[in-house]
Amino acid sequence: MNITHPFCDQDGDKLREECGIFGAINAPAAAPLTALGLHALQHRGQEAAGIVSYDGAEFFARRGNGHVVETFSAAEALAELPGFMAAGHVRYSTTGGAGLRNVQPLYADLASGGFAVAHNGNISNAMTLRAELVGRGAIFQSTSDTEVIIHLVATSRYPTMIDRLVDALRLVEGAYSLIVMTPEGMIACRDPLGIRPLSMGRLGDAVVFASETVAFDVTGAEFERHVEPGEMIHVGFDGKVESLRPFLPRRPRPCIFEHVYFSRPDSIYDGRSVYAARKAIGEQLAIEAPVEADLVVPVPDSGVPAAIGYAQQSGVPFELGIIRSHYVGRTFIQPSDSARHSGVKRKHNANRGLVAGKRIVLIDDSIVRGTTSLQIVEMMREAGATEVHFRVASPPTAHSCYYGVDTPERSKLLAARMDVEPMREFIKADSLAFVSIDGLYRAVGAAARDNAAPQFCDACFTGDYPTALTDLSAATDGAAQLSFPVGKVA
């Protein structure tokens, strides 16, 4: 169901969080506030952005491909979105692929009135539900899994909108954080496992919701609390906030990769500073995989906090041995056919005067396909490094994600095909080590992993999926027919 995003590093050699959502109700200028919040969440999706607003009588929508500033920077663009309630979405494409018809928030006129939804996550039985709905006569306008929720709400026979939404969500599996707008107010909710993040804040009389707390910092809102797993929060136009718990309680499994890479380091996730967690991962990595070296060098920018932690714990000096260009974007045009530099060299350059003659410890957040890691190691050697040791601030990524992360198919994940020593040979490093799964858990403030009852969703490392994978099983006619088994499914 996931597709590789066309503008990923190289051939998709990074895991990509697929969506960021922001919503505001009872705000004097809800759409401009939402656009600012989306800008803070731009790292969660850079393919397209959309905002839907409501002025008490009508819903208004504007969507566009590209970054938030490309669609919502002009005053006239935001003037098209009047009202005191708005929800927005930034995305890469997972289920459904690219195209304006899939840009969220999705909107529909239901019998009970307008209904707009912004969704972060992935519904792992969307194809099965869609086939059933189409068989009953439903007509879909997009190829997004999120539209399945709209159809389920529209066909529910319960009397109130909240009950219809609950009825719909009880039929879906997978991960979702939702911001829903109706003529009665705004509803925010997380799936019972809390796989994808969602937080609530306040700005004066306005209540705001966002995928990450950094959006509150940027908009001036005050972080109030995280939306709890399985919680549904309804905010009315009278300012009343109602918390509902309509689902059977389950042991939460928030995504641990938010700590490793997805969230901005200045966010708070699962009650812990992301920056502090990443530093702690680096410290743990230094304890588990020390090496004699002269410099600790981060792969920018995602490797920086872990590299600081590694350096502080090991006593090896931290230095910026790789300089990143912040001006290489998806519209980069090569000056000529003969100037065929790799994506890595366009984006990163060795600090040659610093690394020449040195033993280097490279710190990165993950290894996905391994192609970028290989090129960075080679770049260090070309710059004169005498030894290049690679340390990774996460366990080996050996399994695909089906919960809203753009992951290559499992056969293309380096750790699915190789053990650590062959991986080291592939990337041509002098040594290679990953933080252990227990070390990762400890670094983010948890006890060592309870294999019988894991505290996080860590399926990309362990293959221990917290939900059924109905569509995957249907598409492959059982995991046994896959070239690479999907792993344990809880």
Side-chain angles (χ1 to χ4, degrees):
M1 291 177 67
N2 290 2
I3 67 167
T4 300
H5 181 256
F7 305 124
C8 284
D9 296 325
Q10 289 295 95
D11 52 351
D13 203 20
K14 280 286 184 186
L15 300 187
R16 296 289 192 181
E17 168 60 81
E18 295 314 316
C19 302
I21 58 177
F22 188 94
I25 182 171
N26 300 325
L33 178 65
T34 298
L36 187 59
L38 291 181
H39 190 269
L41 301 173
Q42 186 73 85
H43 60 287
R44 298 183 74 89
Q46 300 178 44
E47 181 181 278
I51 294 176
V52 173
S53 69
Y54 179 69
D55 67 354
E58 291 185 66
F59 286 85
F60 304 85
R62 183 178 177 89
R63 305 176 181 89
N65 291 318
H67 290 182
V68 175
V69 295
E70 296 177 68
T71 303
F72 299 109
S73 61
E76 53 268 26
L78 291 170
E80 297 177 6
L81 298 166
F84 44 82
M85 179 171 68
H89 189 273
V90 290
R91 80 187 294 258
Y92 288 120
S93 54
T94 50
T95 304
L100 277 178
R101 64 176 178 162
N102 290 321
V103 179
Q104 297 186 33
L106 297 184
Y107 174 80
D109 283 307
L110 307 184
S112 56
F115 184 93
V117 58
H119 170 207
N120 173 209
N122 208 55
I123 298 171
S124 54
N125 65 337
M127 292 170 60
T128 301
L129 291 172
R130 184 187 181 101
E132 294 173 358
L133 288 162
V134 169
R136 299 204 304 260
I139 300 173
F140 282 76
Q141 300 299 312
S142 76
T143 56
S144 169
D145 61 336
T146 308
E147 192 177 358
V148 168
I149 296 174
I150 296 177
H151 282 275
L152 292 174
V153 171
T155 55
S156 173
R157 302 179 70 86
Y158 281 84
T160 70
M161 181 57 70
I162 289 181
D163 286 340
R164 291 174 190 169
L165 181 59
V166 171
D167 186 37
L169 295 179
R170 282 177 175 157
L171 297 175
V172 307
E173 67 182 38
Y176 56 82
S177 284
L178 302 177
I179 296 175
V180 173
M181 297 195 305
T182 77
E184 300 169 2
M186 179 170 283
I187 304 167
C189 63
R190 286 175 79 186
D191 69 78
L193 294 172
I195 298 175
R196 301 261 66 86
L198 191 62
S199 296
M200 182 174 75
R202 290 184 182 270
L203 181 60
D205 294 330
V207 176
V208 293
F209 298 95
S211 293
E212 292 185 37
T213 61
V214 67
F216 301 149
D217 299 335
V218 172
T219 58
E222 181 179 350
F223 168 68
E224 187 163 296
R225 66 181 181 88
H226 299 294
V227 178
E228 296 296 327
E231 183 182 19
M232 184 174 286
I233 299 176
H234 179 261
V235 185
F237 297 121
D238 59 359
K240 181 181 178 181
V241 178
E242 183 180 11
S243 174
L244 307 171
R245 304 282 182 155
F247 307 107
L248 291 175
R250 298 185 64 184
R251 178 171 37 83
R253 295 279 300 272
C255 173
I256 201 168
F257 216 89
E258 292 282 350
H259 279 305
V260 173
Y261 176 71
F262 295 145
S263 293
R264 267 179 48 164
D266 44 348
S267 284
I268 303 295
Y269 175 65
D270 200 34
R272 183 170 172 82
S273 160
V274 174
Y275 179 80
R278 289 178 186 165
K279 276 188 64 180
I281 296 170
E283 293 168 4
Q284 184 66 33
L285 188 55
I287 293 169
E288 295 181 358
V291 64
E292 292 285 338
D294 301 307
L295 299 176
V296 174
V297 174
V299 177
D301 288 327
S302 58
V304 171
I308 293 172
Y310 190 100
Q312 290 178 349
Q313 177 65 37
S314 66
V316 179
F318 170 93
E319 293 286 358
L320 295 179
I322 301 173
I323 306 302
R324 179 187 172 191
S325 170
H326 291 268
Y327 303 99
V328 178
R330 61 189 183 85
T331 57
F332 180 85
I333 300 173
Q334 298 209 55
S336 69
D337 290 339
S338 61
R340 300 187 61 191
H341 300 289
S342 73
V344 168
K345 288 187 176 181
R346 293 199 304 266
K347 196 171 187 179
H348 300 106
N349 190 49
N351 192 347
R352 186 177 296 271
L354 181 69
V355 305
K358 300 293 196 306
R359 298 169 297 173
I360 305 299
V361 182
L362 285 174
I363 309 290
D364 205 355
D365 60 270
S366 60
I367 293 179
V368 182
R369 299 173 188 253
T371 51
T372 297
S373 303
L374 166 63
Q375 293 182 47
I376 288 175
V377 169
E378 290 180 333
M379 182 173 65
M380 290 289 98
R381 294 201 189 281
E382 291 171 2
T386 57
E387 296 178 12
V388 182
H389 302 275
F390 213 102
R391 297 293 180 268
V392 186
S394 64
T397 303
H399 303 269
S400 297
C401 176
Y402 300 98
Y403 302 120
V405 176
D406 182 16
T407 319
E409 61 187 61
R410 193 175 179 221
S411 63
K412 295 181 181 178
L413 294 171
L414 194 65
R417 299 186 285 113
M418 300 179 183
D419 292 329
V420 174
E421 178 57 21
M423 292 176 71
R424 182 200 66 76
E425 294 176 355
F426 179 86
I427 68 171
K428 299 182 180 179
D430 291 286
S431 70
L432 171 65
F434 298 79
V435 73
S436 66
I437 189 70
D438 286 342
L440 176 60
Y441 268 59
R442 285 191 289 268
V444 301
R449 187 181 195 270
D450 182 346
N451 293 332
Q455 304 94 306
F456 294 92
C457 179
D458 53 19
C460 54
F461 307 132
T462 65
D464 186 355
Y465 293 93
T467 74
L469 301 175
T470 298
D471 288 345
L472 180 68
S473 297
T476 60
D477 192 25
Q481 295 186 20
L482 291 176
S483 299
F484 292 84
V486 298
K488 175 183 173 184
V489 178

